[in-house]
Amino acid sequence: MNASNHLFDFHGDWLTHTLTHASADLSETKTELPDGTRVSRKGTGMLWFAPPAGRANLNQEALIVSAGIHGNETAPIEVLNGLVSELLAGEWSLGCPLLLILGNPPAMVAGERFLDVNLNRLFNGAHRESQYEGLPEARRARFLEEMCRQFAMAHQELALSHYDLHTAIRPSKRERFALYPHVEGRSVPPADQCAFLLEAEVETLLLQHKESTVFSAFSASLLGAESFTVELGKVEPLGHNDLRRFRGIEQALRRRFRGLPAPEAGPPFDHLTVFEVVHEILNTGPSFRFHVPDDVANFTEHPSGTMIWEDDQTCYRVGTAPEAIVFPNPAVPVGQRVGLLVRPAPPAYNWKS
Ligand SMILES: O=C(O)CCC(=O)N[C@@H](CCC(=O)O)C(=O)O
Ligand SMILES: [Zn+2]
């Protein structure tokens, strides 16, 4: 029996298996590839790979890569599924320990961002809050945190990176961008991470200004990983993605999975433009009014003095320099993020290969 059959119960590939068993409580299943790589399916949408002892891990690293934390953000799911199929078919050998995650399988089946609550607001322990008790997303967040924790513990001697892959609801003036979680005591990512983003054709980086409850913030704060939320394009239903637009991330991940050295960066992807968050817009309650039109693209600039939101107590106007909106979405519960206002970071933060 080949590895795919063993792990995926004769139902073809990882994605099909994950959709078929979206809400199942699967027990662990293990197999070994002909080259000695061990593969463990830890649960639905969760694969842990361990190369054989003695395999050179040239980059001295362990990787966590997740997609489908939002069920309708399908292109990164397809990219990861393709890479898993190649690996299981023996097209290349794995160079480093790897944890791959399809985040929210029931939402993937429904083709929705989430079913009950936004999974990407439940990390860093938020899943323990009483309002989320008993919800499947809270259980899933706990499981994902636990698996990542075990993976990090098992590979403490290696550098840990986590890439949480997403696509955005709106079009974007900057097609691909990464968000770098705020962790006290650090400001910008190390050079090798900047180079990797460019290798993946991600040319824009957004520095978060405070801790949050998203998945990448959990792995950065609690596991000490170099973590990023990576926005790779626009939300489309499964089968409607132009996967040619995702070749950059696909090739860059395959190279990292194989444990190969980073290629020389070259134009046009040799310069990372960095933004910083100026203000996080929160839904403050029933009197909250948001003045950004629904269909505006990410990174659309608003001139100084523009009123962005108001409620019965206060309002927010753009400061002395223009600010750009990212992730505008007023349809969120009270207390949650309606959008980010960002501005270019000091030029010294930009990164050139
Ligand atoms: O397009 C949108 O409005 C949302 C796209 C998305 O899901 N983004 C992530 C960003 C997470 C982070 O802040 O690192 C999210 O909102 O969960
Ligand atoms: Zn998302």
Side-chain angles (χ1 to χ4, degrees), residues 230-307:
V230 191
E231 299 287 346
L232 292 161
K234 197 173 162 318
V235 165
E236 298 291 349
L238 263 184
H240 287 73
N241 295 299
D242 178 358
L243 290 177
R244 287 169 305 185
R245 302 209 71 74
F246 297 83
R247 288 268 157 76
I249 188 73
E250 185 202 344
Q251 287 173 5
L253 286 176
R254 186 186 294 107
R255 193 272 299 166
R256 288 284 284 281
F257 293 176
R258 297 179 68 191
L260 301 177
E264 207 50 28
F269 298 105
D270 59 357
H271 184 87
L272 197 60
T273 304
V274 184
F275 287 78
E276 59 190 8
V277 174
V278 185
H279 175 71
E280 182 182 45
I281 308 161
L282 299 177
N283 179 354
T284 58
S287 69
F288 177 82
R289 296 185 292 288
F290 187 49
H291 297 302
V292 175
D294 264 5
D295 54 352
V296 75
N298 287 323
F299 291 95
T300 298
E301 271 198 358
H302 295 270
S304 172
T306 310
M307 188 190 286

Side-chain angles (χ1 to χ4, degrees), residues 38 55 95 120 189:
R38 281 168 294 126
R55 166 96 32 96
N120 212 21

Side-chain angles (χ1 to χ4, degrees), residues 40-285:
S40 171
R41 194 194 68 210
K42 294 280 180 184
T44 302
M46 171 83 61
L47 294 175
W48 180 323
F49 296 87
R55 166 96 32 96
N57 181 351
L58 289 184
N59 298 315
Q60 286 295 295
E61 65 176 353
L63 297 173
I64 301 174
V65 185
S66 46
I69 289 291
H70 293 129
N72 60 346
E73 298 177 5
T74 57
I77 296 171
E78 293 190 67
V79 169
L80 282 197
N81 190 47
L83 291 170
V84 167
S85 297
E86 292 173 16
L87 177 53
L88 296 183
E91 290 179 26
W92 39 267
S93 289
L94 188 67
C96 64
L98 175 63
L99 185 65
L100 293 183
I101 297 168
L102 296 179
N104 192 341
M108 285 163 50
V109 171
E112 299 286 350
R113 185 166 167 82
F114 55 86
L115 297 185
D116 293 297
V117 288
N118 186 345
L119 177 61
N120 212 21
R121 301 294 178 270
L122 299 187
F123 293 94
N124 257 338
H127 55 80
R128 283 188 219 104
E129 290 172 22
S130 57
Q131 55 180 318
Y132 303 127
E133 202 179 320
L135 293 181
E137 278 95 349
R139 221 173 26 249
R140 185 69 176 170
R142 191 168 59 237
F143 177 64
L144 300 189
E145 283 193 357
E146 184 49 34
M147 284 297 120
C148 291
R149 205 173 268 120
Q150 286 183 19
F151 185 76
M153 290 284 287
H155 302 296
Q156 287 178 66
E157 74 290 2
L158 300 173
L160 181 65
S161 298
H162 174 202
Y163 304 100
D164 185 31
L165 311 181
H166 289 245
T167 49
I169 299 169
R170 311 278 171 225
S172 183
K173 292 185 181 260
R174 294 175 167 270
E175 183 177 1
R176 304 181 195 91
F177 56 100
L179 296 103
Y180 192 51
H182 175 82
V183 175
E184 209 51 53
R186 69 176 199 189
S187 51
V188 288
D192 60 340
Q193 294 291 346
C194 295
F196 174 74
L197 293 176
L198 288 171
E199 183 185 351
E201 302 184 352
V202 175
E203 292 176 283
T204 302
L205 177 68
L206 186 45
L207 305 173
Q208 293 280 21
H209 67 321
K210 57 180 181 135
E211 284 206 2
S212 79
T213 55
V214 305
F215 196 15
S216 60
F218 155 75
S219 55
S221 299
L222 295 184
L223 306 182
E226 280 296 328
S227 307
F228 299 83
T229 303
V230 191
E231 299 287 346
L232 292 161
K234 197 173 162 318
V235 165
E236 298 291 349
L238 263 184
H240 287 73
N241 295 299
D242 178 358
L243 290 177
R244 287 169 305 185
R245 302 209 71 74
F246 297 83
R247 288 268 157 76
I249 188 73
E250 185 202 344
Q251 287 173 5
L253 286 176
R254 186 186 294 107
R255 193 272 299 166
R256 288 284 284 281
F257 293 176
R258 297 179 68 191
L260 301 177
E264 207 50 28
F269 298 105
D270 59 357
H271 184 87
L272 197 60
T273 304
V274 184
F275 287 78
E276 59 190 8
V277 174
V278 185
H279 175 71
E280 182 182 45
I281 308 161
L282 299 177
N283 179 354
T284 58

